[in-house]
Amino acid sequence: MQKKTVEDIDVSGKRVLVRVDFNVPMDTRGGIEDDNRIRACLPTIRSLIARRARVILCSHLGRPHGRVDEHLRLGPVARRLSELLQQPVVSLRETTGPAVEHAARGMQEGDVILLENLRFSPGEEKNDPAFSRELSGLADIFVNDAFGASHRAHASVVGVADYLPCVSGFLMEKEIEMLSGLLEDPARPFAAIMGGAKVGEKIGILEHILPTVNIVLVGGGMAATFLKGTGYGVGTSVVEEEKLELVRMIAGKAASYRVRLLLPADVVVTDTPGAGASALIVPVTQVPADRMIADIGPETITLYSEALNTCRTVVWNGPMGIFEIPQFSEGTRALASVLAGRDAMTVIGGGSTAEAVAQLGLTEKMSYVSTGGGASLQFLTGKVLPGIAVIPDK
Ligand code: 3PG
Ligand code: MG
């Protein structure tokens, strides 16, 4: 899959709308916890600046669902980008409209502006053509460098390609190349470790990844739904009730594909998942009614480590527990160090998994760290992601 890239076109003097995935983890005071997704787009942005383009960046942050959320403004991201580029980045307070058009018209060659959070506009997630037209009206060319959002058929990912010539950025190009290489002929056994948040969605992806892998290890938020679907009590853990049927079906499907679907044998439970919270290790048969699952337990760590030690390819998306809180970080830590010590193809996908691995100082020990979480998993199912489909081939 060779897509046209930003290198294949003349950008000099042009207004270039660049979709990036600056959906970075923020702390409670509005600080950026991990700026890797910003750094990952620097090659594209720098190349455009060097070639005298007028660079109009756009991204989503979090899920404000069409409304302005003061905590999800992109101002802090623009400041960090400006530090990294060592040049001003104009941070706009809107995504479209007269002020944005005025700013875009007033740009000099090599200038960079960042539009406000795209998801403040209801048209973004709906892929509303009117919104796509407004966005595309700002520019002459569309560059998609937002691999992490390429599984979303949103206006800024697919819609604008109806109105502007479209190419991929360097990050998009690299992600496609690396992940295609992995998909082509993976060394086996091939394991997927699945955890983290966005449980409902990931259970859907898990179903579609079964034909590709040999082993699936379940942890994080989705463990509770799997355990409940298997008939265990999960206390006060959040469960996707409407996915219980699917979870049972997945177990059957895994068996028919001869995939080993591993669920936790023991878990760490707590009453409240805050700092200083209680932590108790229990077998999955004995989760107290007033406690929630916050991590996988030591027996599970052993079980999962043994499974991973046989694997030659591993894709990991989503921490095993509430990694930010030390009492619930052990499962994630343990699996990260197992992978770091393996002579295997290890692919880490997604914001929080990459952040966890980076915090442990193990990024360099992994074969590849993708900026996409859901996107990289869906890519591995063999599905052509909507944001990639709209980019013409070379
Ligand atoms: C991500 O963090 O996975 C991407 O930025 C996409 O975000 P979303 O799941 O809110 O669409
Ligand atoms: Mg994410």
Side-chain angles (χ1 to χ4, degrees), residues 264-269 279-284 295-306 320 327 329-332 334-335 338:
D266 61 346
V267 288
V268 181
V269 296
L280 179 72
I281 297 162
V282 295
V284 289
D295 196 7
I296 57 174
E299 200 186 312
T300 309
I301 291 175
T302 305
L303 181 81
Y304 285 11
S305 304
E306 280 167 7
M320 293 292 97
Q327 305 88 297
S329 65
E330 197 45 43
T332 305
L335 297 200
V338 170

Side-chain angles (χ1 to χ4, degrees), residues 117 119 216 274 301 317 356 381:
N117 190 343
R119 289 188 186 169
V216 178
I301 291 175
N317 176 256
T381 66

Side-chain angles (χ1 to χ4, degrees), residues 175 178-179 181-183 186-193 217 304-305 307-317 334-350 353-354 357 362-372 376-377 380:
E175 296 271 17
M178 294 300 295
L179 295 170
L182 176 74
L183 183 68
R188 296 185 180 273
F190 181 172
I193 311 174
L217 298 90
Y304 285 11
S305 304
L308 291 172
N309 275 323
T310 68
C311 291
R312 294 172 62 212
T313 305
V314 182
V315 175
W316 183 5
N317 176 256
L335 297 200
S337 35
V338 170
L339 293 194
R342 292 279 305 145
D343 180 18
M345 168 72 108
T346 49
V347 179
I348 308 300
T353 322
V357 169
L362 297 175
T363 304
E364 301 303 315
K365 302 268 184 196
M366 305 300 169
S367 311
Y368 184 60
V369 179
S370 170
T371 53
S376 60
L377 283 174
L380 293 174

Side-chain angles (χ1 to χ4, degrees), residues 188-328:
R188 296 185 180 273
F190 181 172
I193 311 174
M194 303 207 33
K198 303 181 193 171
V199 175
E201 173 183 325
K202 281 195 200 155
I203 291 173
I205 300 177
L206 198 165
E207 183 193 355
H208 295 290
I209 214 169
L210 291 175
T212 309
V213 298
N214 307 107
I215 305 179
V216 178
L217 298 90
V218 174
M222 74 166 72
T225 300
F226 268 88
L227 291 169
K228 179 138 188 214
T230 316
Y232 296 109
V234 294
T236 57
S237 309
V238 177
V239 168
E240 297 273 323
E241 296 289 340
E242 70 283 10
K243 299 284 176 189
L244 289 173
E245 199 43 54
L246 177 60
V247 156
R248 284 184 213 116
M249 200 196 85
I250 286 175
K253 209 169 164 182
S256 70
Y257 280 108
R258 297 169 182 274
V259 171
R260 279 180 74 198
L261 179 65
L262 297 180
L263 301 185
D266 61 346
V267 288
V268 181
V269 296
T270 186
D271 47 356
T272 55
S278 69
L280 179 72
I281 297 162
V282 295
V284 289
T285 49
Q286 287 169 34
V287 174
D290 60 349
R291 296 281 191 280
M292 66 179 72
I293 299 172
D295 196 7
I296 57 174
E299 200 186 312
T300 309
I301 291 175
T302 305
L303 181 81
Y304 285 11
S305 304
E306 280 167 7
L308 291 172
N309 275 323
T310 68
C311 291
R312 294 172 62 212
T313 305
V314 182
V315 175
W316 183 5
N317 176 256
M320 293 292 97
I322 310 171
F323 176 79
E324 315 81 74
I325 303 172
Q327 305 88 297
F328 313 123

Side-chain angles (χ1 to χ4, degrees), residues 23 37 198 350-352 373-374:
N23 184 26
R37 278 181 162 172
K198 303 181 193 171
S352 46

